[in-house]
Amino acid sequence: MAAAKEMKRKRERRTRLTAARPRTRLESAHRASSLAAIGLEAEFVVVMDGAPVRPEDVFGSPRSIVRGPLMHRTGRSYHLPTGSAVYFDTGVIELATPMIEIERGCAARAGRSLWESILFLRGELDAWQARHERDVRLVGFSTHYNVSFDVPAAERAANRTVEQLALLLTYLLPAPVMLLAANRQSTGIGVRPRGNRIEVTADFTPDAALMIAAATVIVGIVREVMTWPTYDVSELFRAHFPIFRDFAPAPHSSRKGWVARYSCFPRNPFASHVDEDRWDLCNGDSLSLREIAGRITKQFWPAIKRYADPFTLRLIGGVMAGRAPSLLELADRPPSYESVGQLCAWDDLFPEHELPRSRYERVLIRAIHGDRLHLGQGEWYKPTGMRGWSHVIFRRERDHSKRVFSLDYLLRHLDDWEGTRG
């Protein structure tokens, strides 16, 4: 189909351009923030009247899509009222959630933030296409799962670097992430070292519950492996993890890092049967893809449980046991990929009264909504913009001077800020 071919073309083009272009993603997300955090990003191809288009060519800026005011973030990116950032990134529309501090339910909070933003963007596109008498679809492209790497500098020995951690995770994450997040047309699971974070890349998952399940497994495994005394690959054999025989990760095409591409395996795991096809392991066992994913998940179950909400924990267990379906069990990629926000949408899985917003999220939403902040001896400040992900720009009302406060500083004033209206 045209959209699938266009997505492949965009992947190849982005590979050539990525090294040279400035980034607007989560590079600064965890800088100057004291709490470990996660964040999700999703990319979408825009299909207009049946043909893929470059959003920057059609819309110019996200401001042309969103009817209300937008808070500027950096470069050509803006914050939506939901808290997520929106921008055009080399031929795709990208949404990126705010930082969500790592704690129980963090993946559900990040998933909620992303899918609420998808719902908001889809609503604005509906209004745009009605005004212009055009048909616009968002086709799922990719999801990026970001997890803080906050090992103290003094503990980052030669065998505990973020680069070594990324390589180690490339042996552990693919099987469970495939089962939870991938589809029959997927081509790989990537792991990138990004300085102060680990970024796991996979195809977009048009099912919010499965995406949150994948994020929960990723944050549990990444945070647990981060505590290991060494990131040498030999640790996998010492701990008796089920490792594919004849598997060798390839360098990531777009950035430093590694990818478990389908061609890195003896045969394509995305096109194989998750239960019937057997895989030879380094320890001599022969298991199905579901059994491999299940064993890895079981070995990390205490860490996964530490960050999971009850619903997602049951879903993970169900998929690993075969009681809940995986997209890999379908005959082909689901049609819902072709119209995200319409054929697949957010169903309010985690309402706020059951899962409150994270503290970082609450600070950011206050800023985006323009809520005034009272500090010190009668001083009032009005938020006017963002500096990256970790700082808010304010204007002091007394003299209109600019002040920049970190999210961590604002956390200390959150209760007062939320109690102030005006």
Side-chain angles (χ1 to χ4, degrees), residues 388-403:
W389 284 100
S390 58
H391 289 78
V392 181
I393 302 171
F394 287 82
R395 183 184 69 250
R396 189 164 64 182
E397 295 186 352
R398 174 170 56 84
D399 56 6
H400 300 287
S401 60
K402 185 172 75 172
R403 295 291 187 271

Side-chain angles (χ1 to χ4, degrees), residues 26 30 37-41 144-148 197-200:
L26 296 171
H30 308 298
I38 68 167
L40 300 184
E41 304 165 77
H144 302 184
Y145 305 82
N146 297 274
V147 182
S148 287
R197 61 189 167 94
I198 286 287
E199 181 183 56
V200 179

Side-chain angles (χ1 to χ4, degrees), residues 220-336:
I221 292 178
V222 171
R223 295 298 291 181
E224 181 63 23
V225 174
M226 204 177 292
T227 67
W228 290 4
T230 175
Y231 300 153
D232 193 278
V233 174
S234 62
E235 286 296 298
L236 301 174
F237 304 99
R238 188 174 296 113
H240 305 293
F241 284 100
I243 305 301
F244 291 95
R245 182 184 295 176
D246 300 324
F247 165 74
H252 206 289
S253 58
S254 61
R255 239 179 242 123
K256 293 180 179 179
W258 302 92
V259 59
R261 193 175 290 114
Y262 71 95
S263 55
C264 298
F265 299 85
R267 60 186 182 278
N268 186 351
F270 300 99
S272 301
H273 196 287
V274 296
D275 293 310
E276 295 178 3
D277 291 331
R278 314 301 289 182
W279 297 86
D280 292 334
L281 305 181
C282 293
N283 63 5
D285 288 346
S286 179
L287 301 176
S288 70
L289 180 62
R290 194 192 303 273
E291 288 171 333
I292 295 170
R295 287 195 181 185
I296 292 173
T297 301
K298 183 177 180 179
Q299 287 181 262
F300 285 101
W301 194 249
I304 294 169
K305 186 176 180 180
R306 188 179 310 134
Y307 303 116
D309 63 274
F311 171 82
T312 300
L313 196 65
R314 290 192 298 271
L315 177 60
I316 294 168
V319 172
M320 296 304 163
R323 297 189 303 271
S326 164
L327 297 183
L328 291 179
E329 297 179 76
L330 303 179
D332 202 351
R333 183 171 121 144
S336 50

Side-chain angles (χ1 to χ4, degrees), residues 43-361:
E43 297 176 319
F44 306 93
V45 171
V46 178
V47 175
M48 183 171 294
D49 298 331
V53 297
R54 289 169 53 87
E56 51 265 53
D57 296 340
V58 175
F59 304 113
S61 164
R63 287 185 177 275
S64 299
I65 301 174
V66 179
R67 290 165 290 179
L70 290 174
M71 175 173 280
H72 182 251
R73 178 177 166 263
T74 183
R76 291 174 292 179
S77 67
Y78 300 87
H79 278 288
L80 299 176
T82 59
S84 292
V86 59
Y87 45 93
F88 303 151
D89 189 2
T90 320
V92 298
I93 289 183
E94 180 151 358
L95 293 172
T97 71
M99 295 188 300
I100 307 291
E101 56 266 29
I102 293 177
E103 59 186 356
R104 188 178 301 278
C106 59
R109 290 185 173 97
R112 176 178 60 191
S113 177
L114 179 62
W115 280 87
E116 286 177 341
S117 301
I118 292 172
L119 180 65
F120 178 88
L121 179 61
R122 181 65 258 177
E124 296 301 299
L125 285 171
D126 288 345
W128 187 95
Q129 67 182 9
R131 294 194 304 271
H132 296 83
E133 298 183 343
R134 309 293 294 272
D135 177 71
V136 182
R137 289 188 289 114
L138 294 176
V139 178
F141 186 63
S142 69
T143 307
H144 302 184
Y145 305 82
N146 297 274
V147 182
S148 287
F149 177 75
D150 56 357
V151 174
E155 299 179 18
R156 298 184 191 185
N159 58 357
R160 293 188 82 218
T161 66
V162 67
E163 291 78 14
Q164 285 179 307
L165 177 61
L167 177 58
L168 182 63
L169 290 168
T170 311
Y171 288 85
L172 286 169
L173 289 174
V177 174
M178 284 180 195
L179 212 62
L180 293 169
N183 66 84
R184 303 284 279 184
Q185 291 187 27
S186 296
T187 59
I189 305 297
V191 186
R192 300 166 172 171
R194 304 299 301 276
N196 57 2
R197 61 189 167 94
I198 286 287
E199 181 183 56
V200 179
T201 61
D203 273 355
F204 180 80
T205 306
D207 183 294
L210 285 175
M211 180 186 288
I212 290 170
T216 302
V217 167
I218 288 169
V219 71
I221 292 178
V222 171
R223 295 298 291 181
E224 181 63 23
V225 174
M226 204 177 292
T227 67
W228 290 4
T230 175
Y231 300 153
D232 193 278
V233 174
S234 62
E235 286 296 298
L236 301 174
F237 304 99
R238 188 174 296 113
H240 305 293
F241 284 100
I243 305 301
F244 291 95
R245 182 184 295 176
D246 300 324
F247 165 74
H252 206 289
S253 58
S254 61
R255 239 179 242 123
K256 293 180 179 179
W258 302 92
V259 59
R261 193 175 290 114
Y262 71 95
S263 55
C264 298
F265 299 85
R267 60 186 182 278
N268 186 351
F270 300 99
S272 301
H273 196 287
V274 296
D275 293 310
E276 295 178 3
D277 291 331
R278 314 301 289 182
W279 297 86
D280 292 334
L281 305 181
C282 293
N283 63 5
D285 288 346
S286 179
L287 301 176
S288 70
L289 180 62
R290 194 192 303 273
E291 288 171 333
I292 295 170
R295 287 195 181 185
I296 292 173
T297 301
K298 183 177 180 179
Q299 287 181 262
F300 285 101
W301 194 249
I304 294 169
K305 186 176 180 180
R306 188 179 310 134
Y307 303 116
D309 63 274
F311 171 82
T312 300
L313 196 65
R314 290 192 298 271
L315 177 60
I316 294 168
V319 172
M320 296 304 163
R323 297 189 303 271
S326 164
L327 297 183
L328 291 179
E329 297 179 76
L330 303 179
D332 202 351
R333 183 171 121 144
S336 50
Y337 277 91
E338 304 302 321
S339 190
V340 177
Q342 293 174 322
L343 296 183
C344 59
W346 178 244
D347 195 26
D348 200 16
L349 295 176
F350 300 97
E352 281 192 63
H353 69 271
E354 294 183 3
L355 186 69
R357 303 281 173 183
S358 77
R359 287 168 291 171
Y360 276 148
E361 199 175 3

